[in-house]
Amino acid sequence: TGVFAASPQTAIATLTSPDPQGITTLILDSPNEKIGVQLYDVSVTIQNVKQTVAAVKSVNSSGAAAAQNVQPGMILLGTDASQSIVGRIQNGPYPIVLQFYDLRKTGDHQTVPVSPQTALLEAQQAPPSSNNQNPPPLSTKGTGLVIKTVQKPKDPCPDGQSSRVRRGDTITINYEARVASPGGPLYDSSTERGGPVTFRVGSAQAVNGVDIGVYDMCPGEVRELDIPASLGYGRAGSVVFDVPGDVRLWWRLELLQLEKKK
């Protein structure tokens, strides 16, 4: 799997509102995929909360993490200690979604050019807030993405990756996209666009929550996605679709056609 860890401790990264621009999402399809990182557990202060997180110590240039520009000093959101991460990667179940976070997207690091390692070091040295020693953290455990299959294909989907959606595949879908909930304002749909929409999965043509949410779908399947802001339009929202910042998105989509990556 190309990942190993040091210093087993209890660790979970908790951020009240992680900047989606600082998140790198990595999906592992199987234990044969080499992620290529060394992890370790480190005590840091993030958003005035003292906590222990799993951080990236080194990155192998030939691994999947390097291909997604994961860098030393990044931390893992919503995970257990590094040893537990290694165990999960070794034992499954798959797919596994990992979210790496760049601490340069917190505080003054957005304007002062430093490396992720420097940002991590500063977080190690920062004291917790003296005004609120024990603020209740909000965990971003997992992706915060809720995926629900509401209609299965009429014909059973064959086993194996050849008939299921993976990164790099081109898919055609019907969909409706709403703000916050199924009863929220409609901000986009294939009907408004004049018919089914085609895009390549993992190419930033859709929000991250949709890229992850269509994973493993079969033609004819219908899913509903409850997408957190961190995997949607983040703090800024979308001017194009008139979506405010820091809101969840709700999608219902039907996979009409799947063209496998060549």
Side-chain angles (χ1 to χ4, degrees), residues 116-137:
Q117 285 181 311
T118 299
L120 178 62
L121 179 60
E122 292 181 6
Q124 289 178 257
Q125 298 172 342
S129 172
S130 58
N131 296 325
N132 189 358
Q133 294 292 339
N134 296 296

Side-chain angles (χ1 to χ4, degrees), residues 16-117:
T16 56
S17 184
D19 187 336
Q21 297 300 317
I23 298 174
T24 298
T25 301
L26 185 63
I27 303 175
L28 300 179
D29 297 334
S30 75
N32 295 324
E33 189 168 1
K34 306 300 182 183
I35 182 173
V37 296
Q38 180 184 7
L39 304 176
Y40 71 114
D41 297 330
V42 59
S43 180
V44 297
T45 298
I46 303 176
Q47 295 179 339
N48 296 322
V49 180
K50 195 73 172 180
Q51 54 190 294
T52 301
V53 302
V56 178
K57 188 172 185 178
S58 63
V59 180
N60 188 316
S61 61
S62 63
Q68 295 297 319
N69 201 31
V70 172
Q71 301 177 51
M74 287 184 169
I75 65 171
L76 278 134
L77 290 178
T79 61
D80 297 321
S82 53
Q83 292 283 6
S84 298
I85 300 168
V86 174
R88 185 152 54 96
I89 291 174
Q90 290 175 340
N91 301 317
Y94 282 81
I96 293 173
V97 178
L98 299 174
Q99 288 189 295
F100 296 86
Y101 190 68
D102 188 342
L103 289 173
R104 292 179 296 180
K105 290 297 181 179
T106 62
D108 294 335
H109 298 128
Q110 297 186 61
T111 56
V112 179
V114 297
S115 69
Q117 285 181 311

Side-chain angles (χ1 to χ4, degrees), residues 86-246:
V86 174
R88 185 152 54 96
I89 291 174
Q90 290 175 340
N91 301 317
Y94 282 81
I96 293 173
V97 178
L98 299 174
Q99 288 189 295
F100 296 86
Y101 190 68
D102 188 342
L103 289 173
R104 292 179 296 180
K105 290 297 181 179
T106 62
D108 294 335
H109 298 128
Q110 297 186 61
T111 56
V112 179
V114 297
S115 69
Q117 285 181 311
T118 299
L120 178 62
L121 179 60
E122 292 181 6
Q124 289 178 257
Q125 298 172 342
S129 172
S130 58
N131 296 325
N132 189 358
Q133 294 292 339
N134 296 296
L138 298 178
S139 173
T140 58
K141 190 169 182 61
T143 63
L145 174 66
V146 180
I147 302 172
K148 181 180 179 182
T149 296
V150 295
Q151 179 179 305
K152 295 182 178 180
K154 293 182 179 179
D155 298 320
C157 191
D159 293 333
Q161 298 184 18
S162 61
S163 56
R164 297 179 181 271
V165 174
R166 292 291 187 270
R167 284 171 295 168
D169 293 347
T170 299
I171 63 174
T172 301
I173 62 171
N174 276 326
Y175 71 97
E176 62 175 282
R178 297 181 179 272
V179 176
S181 68
L186 181 73
Y187 73 85
D188 190 19
S189 72
S190 52
T191 300
E192 290 185 339
R193 291 177 178 267
V197 172
T198 300
F199 69 96
R200 185 162 58 88
V201 178
S203 63
Q205 293 175 277
V207 295
N208 287 338
V210 172
D211 272 340
I212 298 172
V214 299
Y215 187 93
D216 223 31
M217 282 188 77
C218 292
E221 184 177 348
V222 179
R223 287 186 180 180
E224 293 179 354
L225 310 177
D226 183 1
I227 303 170
S230 62
L231 295 177
Y233 295 114
R235 295 175 182 172
S238 171
V239 175
V240 174
F241 294 112
D242 196 24
V243 175
D246 282 329

